[in-house]
Amino acid sequence: MSASPENLVAIFVMALAAMAAKGGGFIAMRWLGRHRFVNALLDHAPGAVLVSAAIVPLTQGGGAFIVGAVVGAALTRTVGGFTAGLFGAVGAVALARWAGLT
Protein backbone atom coordinates (compact mmCIF):
# COMPACT_ATOMS: atom_id res chain seq x y z
CA MET A 1 0.00 0.00 0.00
CA SER A 2 1.39 3.37 -0.96
CA ALA A 3 0.14 6.87 -0.43
CA SER A 4 0.60 9.70 -2.86
CA PRO A 5 2.15 12.94 -1.59
CA GLU A 6 -1.12 14.79 -2.18
CA ASN A 7 -2.98 12.38 0.10
CA LEU A 8 -0.36 12.68 2.82
CA VAL A 9 -0.49 16.49 2.66
CA ALA A 10 -4.30 16.40 2.83
CA ILE A 11 -4.21 14.12 5.89
CA PHE A 12 -1.63 16.38 7.57
CA VAL A 13 -3.67 19.52 6.87
CA MET A 14 -6.86 17.87 8.20
CA ALA A 15 -5.00 16.85 11.37
CA LEU A 16 -3.77 20.43 11.84
CA ALA A 17 -7.28 21.77 11.30
CA ALA A 18 -8.70 19.34 13.86
CA MET A 19 -6.06 20.29 16.43
CA ALA A 20 -6.64 24.01 15.75
CA ALA A 21 -10.38 23.59 16.22
CA LYS A 22 -9.88 21.73 19.49
CA GLY A 23 -7.34 24.27 20.73
CA GLY A 24 -9.63 27.11 19.69
CA GLY A 25 -12.42 25.53 21.71
CA PHE A 26 -10.25 25.35 24.81
CA ILE A 27 -9.17 28.97 24.37
CA ALA A 28 -12.76 30.09 23.81
CA MET A 29 -13.93 28.25 26.94
CA ARG A 30 -11.17 29.88 28.99
CA TRP A 31 -12.05 33.29 27.55
CA LEU A 32 -15.83 32.92 27.76
CA GLY A 33 -15.96 31.04 31.02
CA ARG A 34 -18.90 28.89 32.00
CA HIS A 35 -21.82 31.25 31.47
CA ARG A 36 -25.43 30.09 31.66
CA PHE A 37 -25.71 29.89 27.88
CA VAL A 38 -22.58 27.77 27.55
CA ASN A 39 -23.74 25.47 30.37
CA ALA A 40 -27.15 25.03 28.72
CA LEU A 41 -25.53 24.35 25.34
CA LEU A 42 -23.23 21.70 26.80
CA ASP A 43 -26.08 20.10 28.76
CA HIS A 44 -28.19 19.69 25.61
CA ALA A 45 -25.37 18.64 23.26
CA PRO A 46 -25.72 14.84 23.78
CA GLY A 47 -29.41 14.94 22.88
CA ALA A 48 -28.66 16.93 19.75
CA VAL A 49 -26.02 14.41 18.74
CA LEU A 50 -28.47 11.55 19.23
CA VAL A 51 -31.15 13.26 17.16
CA SER A 52 -28.75 14.15 14.36
CA ALA A 53 -27.49 10.58 14.22
CA ALA A 54 -31.00 9.13 14.19
CA ILE A 55 -32.86 11.42 11.81
CA VAL A 56 -31.49 10.00 8.53
CA PRO A 57 -32.32 6.35 9.28
CA LEU A 58 -35.75 7.42 10.55
CA THR A 59 -36.59 9.22 7.32
CA GLN A 60 -35.11 6.60 4.99
CA GLY A 61 -35.45 3.39 6.96
CA GLY A 62 -38.27 1.17 7.99
CA GLY A 63 -39.96 0.01 11.15
CA ALA A 64 -36.81 -1.25 12.85
CA PHE A 65 -35.40 2.25 12.99
CA ILE A 66 -38.62 3.65 14.41
CA VAL A 67 -38.56 0.99 17.13
CA GLY A 68 -34.93 1.90 17.87
CA ALA A 69 -35.76 5.60 18.08
CA VAL A 70 -38.62 5.01 20.49
CA VAL A 71 -36.53 2.73 22.71
CA GLY A 72 -33.57 5.14 22.60
CA ALA A 73 -35.73 8.13 23.52
CA ALA A 74 -37.43 6.23 26.34
CA LEU A 75 -34.14 5.01 27.80
CA THR A 76 -32.50 8.40 27.53
CA ARG A 77 -35.45 10.00 29.28
CA THR A 78 -35.90 7.42 32.04
CA VAL A 79 -32.31 6.43 32.74
CA GLY A 80 -31.07 9.96 32.17
CA GLY A 81 -28.04 9.08 30.15
CA PHE A 82 -27.02 9.44 26.54
CA THR A 83 -25.00 6.22 26.58
CA ALA A 84 -27.87 4.05 27.76
CA GLY A 85 -30.17 5.51 25.12
CA LEU A 86 -27.62 5.04 22.36
CA PHE A 87 -26.87 1.42 23.22
CA GLY A 88 -30.54 0.69 23.77
CA ALA A 89 -31.44 2.13 20.36
CA VAL A 90 -28.76 0.13 18.57
CA GLY A 91 -29.81 -3.03 20.41
CA ALA A 92 -33.48 -2.45 19.62
CA VAL A 93 -32.74 -2.00 15.90
CA ALA A 94 -30.66 -5.18 15.90
CA LEU A 95 -33.40 -7.14 17.69
CA ALA A 96 -36.12 -5.75 15.43
CA ARG A 97 -34.14 -6.69 12.32
CA TRP A 98 -33.45 -10.13 13.75
CA ALA A 99 -37.18 -10.51 14.36
CA GLY A 100 -37.86 -9.72 10.70
CA LEU A 101 -38.74 -6.01 10.74
CA THR A 102 -37.16 -4.03 7.92
Side-chain angles (χ1 to χ4, degrees):
M1 178 176 196
S2 65
S4 68
E6 293 88 10
N7 289 344
L8 294 176
V9 169
I11 291 170
F12 180 70
V13 169
M14 286 188 293
L16 284 177
M19 287 189 289
K22 188 176 233 182
F26 285 128
I27 290 170
M29 287 302 295
R30 181 175 283 278
W31 179 65
L32 287 174
R34 294 291 295 251
H35 298 292
R36 286 185 303 156
F37 174 75
V38 175
N39 280 335
L41 183 79
L42 292 175
D43 285 342
H44 294 293
V49 170
L50 181 62
V51 169
S52 68
I55 197 68
V56 173
L58 279 175
T59 58
Q60 296 177 353
F65 293 109
I66 294 172
V67 169
V70 169
V71 169
L75 280 176
T76 301
R77 183 75 174 160
T78 57
V79 176
F82 170 73
T83 306
L86 183 65
F87 284 119
V90 171
V93 170
L95 284 173
R97 284 188 161 184
W98 179 74
L101 230 62
T102 57

